[in-house]
Structures are given as C-alpha cells and as structure tokens.
Amino acid sequence: MEKAADLQDTASLTLKFKFNPKLGIDNPVLSLAEDHDPSDLWSLERPRFCLLSKEKGKSFGFHLQQELGKAGHVVCRVDPGTSAQRQGLQEGDRILAVNNDVVEHEDYAVVVRRIRASGPRVLLTVLARHAHDVARAQLGEDAHLCPTLGPGVRPRLCHIVKDEGGFGFGVTHGNQGPFWLVLSTGGAAERAGVPPGARLLEVNGVSVEKFTHNQLTRKLWQSGQQVTLLVAGPEVEEQCRQLGLPLAAPLAEGWALPTKARCLHLEKGPQGFGFLLREEKGPDGRPGQFLWEVDPGLPAKKAGMQAGDRLVAVAGESVEGLGHEETVSRIQAQGSCVSLIVVDPEADRFFSMVRLSPLLFLENTEAPASPQGSSSASLVETEVPSLEDTGVPSVPLGSRQCFLYPGPGGGYGFRLSCVASGPHLFISQVTPGGSAARSGLQVGDVILEVNGYPVAGENDLERLQQLPEAEPPLCLKLAARSLRGLEAWIPTGAAEDWALASDLL
C-alpha cells in the first residue's frame, strides 16, 4: 500500500459525488487517470462503516481525540478484544459520521455526546488517516467526504400489534435468511409502517439474517400479541448497497412505537423540585438512576414525572454509566431550571429489548444544549494574551494539592489553557459534576506541578499530551489566582482551541 506522501503526487486522483435524484443521495465516485489501477486507491478513498456494540457495563473499546490544531476527530487507540477491534476500527481513523449525522466539522464535545447517546449500538463512518489527508489535499477542507442516507430513506423500527388478521404479513419461504415480507393489504404490519417488499433484519432486537425459516417462525410465535421489526424497504436496500452501508439498527426511524422517552422541564419552587433520585438496577439488570417520591403539586409532578421513571439524560447529555453523585451534580449544575429526559418502566423494557437508546427516537432530534457548554472531559492548550498586557497579577496566591480519578468516560472533567508568554498553565473550564469539580478545581487555578513534576518550561505541551495516559490518580499542585481581569486572559472563542485529551467510548 502506498504511503500518504506518495499519494499526494497522484494529481489525477479525485473523489466526486454524483447526485442520484431517485434515491436522493450523493454517491461517491472515484476518478482516476487511465494509467492507474483503481483497485490500488479505491480502498483508501472509500469511507468504511463500523457497526459497534457494547456489552453490559463495558465500552465500545476505542479512544477518541480531537486532532491537534485541526478540525476532525481521531481514533487514537483501539483496545484489543473489543467490538471496535473486531469491527475493523483502527488507530488514526477519522470519524466522519455517527449513525446518519455528519460530524467531521462538529465540536468535539458534540461528537462524544452523539456516540454516548446512541446507547448500546453505534454506526461510525470512518476514513483512514492517509486517505483523509489525500482527499482533503485534493478536494479542500469544505468538501463532503461522507455519503449519508437521504431524507426519509432509512430503515424502520416498526411495532406491530396483532388484530383479527394476525400480524398482517407473510415471509418469503427460503431455507435460510435473508427474508422479505409480503404484506396483507390494510393489515397490522402495513398500518405500523412496514413498507412493501421490505427486507426483515431484526425481530425484537435480534438479527434474523442468518436464521433458518423454522427459527424465524418460532421467534415470531414467541412474540405473542405484538412484535417489533427492523425492516428496510427496497429503496433503502439499494441505497445502502451502493454506499456499502450496513442496514444497521442505529440508522432506523421509529414507526408506531408503543412508547418513547419524555422531555421534562422543571423550574424549582420554594419547596424544591419535589422528587428523589435513587440508584438501583433496571429491568435489564443495568444500574441506573431512578426517580421516586414525586410529590403532588410540586414542579416535578406538574412537569409529568412519574415515580419509577429512569433518568436517561440531563440537559440533553446522556447519563448512562454515570454514578449517583455525578448525576446529582449535573442536575444541581443546571440551577433552578432543569431539563430531564426520562423513560417509564414500559419504555425502559422496550428500548432495552431492541438494544437502542431512547434518545435516538426523540421527536425533537436536537437535544437541548447544556447551559454549561461541553460536559466532555478534555485538556486544552490555547494561545492567549500575556499577563503583562492584561494587568492580571502574575504571582499565584497560595498553593494546594488535588487528586483526581477519571470518570466513566475516561476523562477528568476540566479544560486546561496556557498563556503564550507564560509559562503559566491554568484551569479555564470545570465540568459540573466531574472528577475535577468534586476535587475542588476552580476556573483560574494555576498548575504548578503535575504528578510531582514542575510545569514551567518547553516541555509543558508534551506533558499535557501524556496526562490522559497517566496512571490515576492525577495529582495536581495548584495555586489560586486573583479573579481580577479573569475574563481578559481566559480565551473567548476567537482563540484556536486544541484538544489534547482522549475520551474512552
């Protein structure tokens, strides 16, 4: 395989997108000079699709990092024996899309949030590092490298309830899958949104692609009076075939689903919100945060909260895998107005069965933004004005030590910046409820030492890059700085933001 440097000289290599009006998609087309063998380069230019799944209590098995000084999101490590490794995710891969959402130019925190909100399964569109560099050099930074499914052309998750005519579909008879459905006109399946000629992919969250006909018949019979099918109509099948895209459940739209998540907006009253949050095991055996003792007449009850609801997101941020204290901290960080996404026990059992997050099927696909901004844990190096120019005192006030342990996502929950003429490293953001916040880190704290080593020289940047890989706990020696003029030297957004930490996903 040629190196990226060699490919840079292949002036005749281009990646174009051809619009197909019937399917409503942009199809990737590789154009090469006649003296080049397409098979040598197509594999480099074609995005790959990795469908990852995680077992109970485990991660997908890869670490994500924002590329230093550039837009883009890089897989910086793949853990052996995990779903990420089995599905071919590789170190250096650039993530172009999460499920059907193009994320290459999204904020790093948004990408992390989308992956975590996908639940136990996620579909990543990726491009190898060298192929990405070649494509960007040839096509520019604004070119679309990631083909996606067209609007309305998606697999469907359809919930069917039996009537006097049964489920309202038959199955093409073959000894083994794949299977296609034959619908009864006006039957239950048609009313539930199953398209004509649909390919059957899953029954109640279980893939039936390799089932025998007898196994499928038994599975449908065991479903009783209702069944949830993942299906793909002919247009979806053709589009995915052209793109090399798997017919994956995380791409699905919900049709006639029996239940869904609920968005609750609470404003604290004189007696508080009026509910109790308790950690316990859900119907699938997973620990979760449940809402109890919902007091009549108080804001929680008025907003529609029911005792026994499971909390799945705070301010649009998934809380799956978070401990009780961190979840409480995230709620408290919202102040007097709280936005919660919850599921009742029936919805909890349903989404657990189909192995998908209820956050994928919210009516409003735009999750409410957190008032605190990003809640992902990352360390950041940013160029800001010198202290002399801002009038901020250069001598820290006192010192103290903090010991930090990584949270469920693998991060510590703070952002770190530096002053160009320093050397002065300081805390520019603390994630509410994170390890840093619980340990007492505050915006404006100056870093004097990291794990016993002074931070005051040319190796600061190198040391920052090593922080996420250091054995916990992370020991920081800090000095508080006067808050006078703080806004003058904490970067606002005009400065370039370089993420150095990675998130375990």
Side-chain angles (χ1 to χ4, degrees), residues 20 22-28 42 46-49 51 99-100 123 125 147-150 152-156 199 201 209 230-253:
N20 184 325
K22 180 179 179 182
L23 298 178
I25 59 172
D26 291 329
N27 297 328
W42 171 251
R46 190 181 182 93
R48 308 190 326 272
F49 303 97
L51 179 59
N99 298 331
N100 202 47
L123 180 67
T125 306
T148 56
L149 296 176
V153 186
R154 305 268 292 278
R156 296 183 181 182
R199 179 171 169 175
L201 306 172
E209 291 280 87
L230 179 67
V231 299
E235 278 191 324
V236 178
E237 244 195 299
E238 175 60 18
Q239 180 171 344
C240 288
R241 185 193 65 77
Q242 290 190 24
L243 300 178
L245 188 67
L247 293 164
L251 298 175
E253 298 173 323

Side-chain angles (χ1 to χ4, degrees), residues 121-323:
R121 293 189 280 179
V122 67
L123 180 67
L124 302 180
T125 306
V126 302
L127 196 58
R129 180 194 297 267
H130 46 274
H132 183 271
D133 292 344
V134 170
R136 282 285 168 237
Q138 294 287 335
L139 304 176
E141 290 298 321
D142 296 328
H144 296 288
L145 303 181
C146 180
T148 56
L149 296 176
V153 186
R154 305 268 292 278
R156 296 183 181 182
L157 190 68
C158 302
H159 185 75
I160 308 170
V161 180
K162 268 185 181 179
D163 60 15
E164 60 278 2
F167 285 132
F169 66 83
V171 180
T172 54
H173 200 292
N175 185 46
Q176 191 169 341
F179 301 101
W180 284 265
L181 302 182
V182 181
L183 303 185
S184 303
T185 304
E190 187 176 78
R191 295 196 305 273
V194 177
R199 179 171 169 175
L200 180 59
L201 306 172
E202 293 184 3
V203 174
N204 294 337
V206 177
S207 173
V208 296
E209 291 280 87
K210 295 182 180 179
F211 271 31
T212 65
H213 194 276
N214 287 339
Q215 287 174 323
L216 175 60
T217 301
R218 189 180 309 113
K219 182 71 175 175
L220 292 170
W221 179 80
Q222 290 171 344
S223 297
Q225 296 301 306
Q226 50 189 349
V227 67
T228 304
L229 306 182
L230 179 67
V231 299
E235 278 191 324
V236 178
E237 244 195 299
E238 175 60 18
Q239 180 171 344
C240 288
R241 185 193 65 77
Q242 290 190 24
L243 300 178
L245 188 67
L247 293 164
L251 298 175
E253 298 173 323
W255 285 69
L257 299 186
T259 185
K260 61 184 179 181
R262 308 188 325 273
C263 299
L264 310 180
H265 302 284
L266 288 67
E267 186 169 348
K268 186 182 289 186
Q271 301 178 59
F273 291 119
F275 70 91
L276 176 68
L277 187 70
R278 185 186 304 157
E279 182 172 319
E280 55 189 54
K281 288 187 177 180
D284 58 354
R286 290 184 298 118
Q289 308 302 319
F290 289 83
L291 307 167
W292 295 103
E293 298 184 24
V294 182
D295 296 328
L298 294 187
K301 186 67 174 180
K302 291 179 179 178
M305 185 182 293
Q306 300 293 329
D309 284 342
R310 185 203 283 261
L311 180 63
V312 295
V314 176
E317 301 274 356
S318 172
V319 295
E320 181 186 359
L322 296 187

Side-chain angles (χ1 to χ4, degrees), residues 407-478:
Y412 291 95
F414 68 92
R415 297 177 76 87
L416 189 61
S417 298
C418 75
V419 180
S421 63
H424 290 289
L425 302 175
F426 63 91
I427 306 296
S428 59
Q429 182 180 330
V430 177
T431 301
S435 174
R438 293 195 300 271
S439 298
L441 260 71
Q442 298 179 1
V443 172
D445 283 345
V446 177
I447 306 293
L448 302 179
E449 294 181 1
V450 177
N451 290 344
Y453 294 96
V455 179
E458 296 179 356
N459 294 325
D460 288 351
L461 181 59
E462 180 181 349
R463 194 173 306 285
L464 284 176
Q465 291 172 313
Q466 296 171 355
L467 287 185
E469 307 302 326
E471 278 293 318
L474 183 65
C475 177
L476 301 181
K477 185 175 181 181
L478 304 168

Side-chain angles (χ1 to χ4, degrees), residues 11-181:
S12 56
L13 172 64
T14 58
L15 180 66
K16 300 178 180 178
F17 289 91
K18 183 182 294 182
F19 185 72
N20 184 325
K22 180 179 179 182
L23 298 178
I25 59 172
D26 291 329
N27 297 328
V29 178
L30 188 67
S31 173
L32 293 170
E34 293 182 0
D35 57 342
H36 288 280
D37 180 2
S39 63
D40 292 339
L41 295 170
W42 171 251
S43 62
L44 296 181
E45 292 298 323
R46 190 181 182 93
R48 308 190 326 272
F49 303 97
C50 300
L51 179 59
L52 310 183
S53 60
K54 57 183 172 183
E55 299 174 6
K56 183 169 57 178
K58 296 186 178 180
S59 69
F60 292 120
F62 72 96
H63 299 250
L64 186 65
Q65 183 178 58
Q66 187 170 14
E67 191 170 17
L68 188 65
K70 299 180 182 178
H73 314 287
V74 185
V75 176
C76 60
R77 194 169 83 199
V78 178
D79 295 333
T82 61
S83 177
Q85 185 192 48
R86 291 192 297 271
Q87 295 303 314
L89 201 63
Q90 299 176 8
E91 184 176 333
D93 281 343
R94 268 41 174 195
I95 294 184
L96 305 181
V98 177
N99 298 331
N100 202 47
D101 298 305
V102 178
V103 298
E104 188 180 9
H105 297 291
E106 293 272 15
D107 288 342
Y108 176 76
V110 173
V111 180
V112 172
R113 185 166 69 234
R114 287 191 187 278
I115 294 173
R116 288 178 175 159
S118 189
R121 293 189 280 179
V122 67
L123 180 67
L124 302 180
T125 306
V126 302
L127 196 58
R129 180 194 297 267
H130 46 274
H132 183 271
D133 292 344
V134 170
R136 282 285 168 237
Q138 294 287 335
L139 304 176
E141 290 298 321
D142 296 328
H144 296 288
L145 303 181
C146 180
T148 56
L149 296 176
V153 186
R154 305 268 292 278
R156 296 183 181 182
L157 190 68
C158 302
H159 185 75
I160 308 170
V161 180
K162 268 185 181 179
D163 60 15
E164 60 278 2
F167 285 132
F169 66 83
V171 180
T172 54
H173 200 292
N175 185 46
Q176 191 169 341
F179 301 101
W180 284 265
L181 302 182

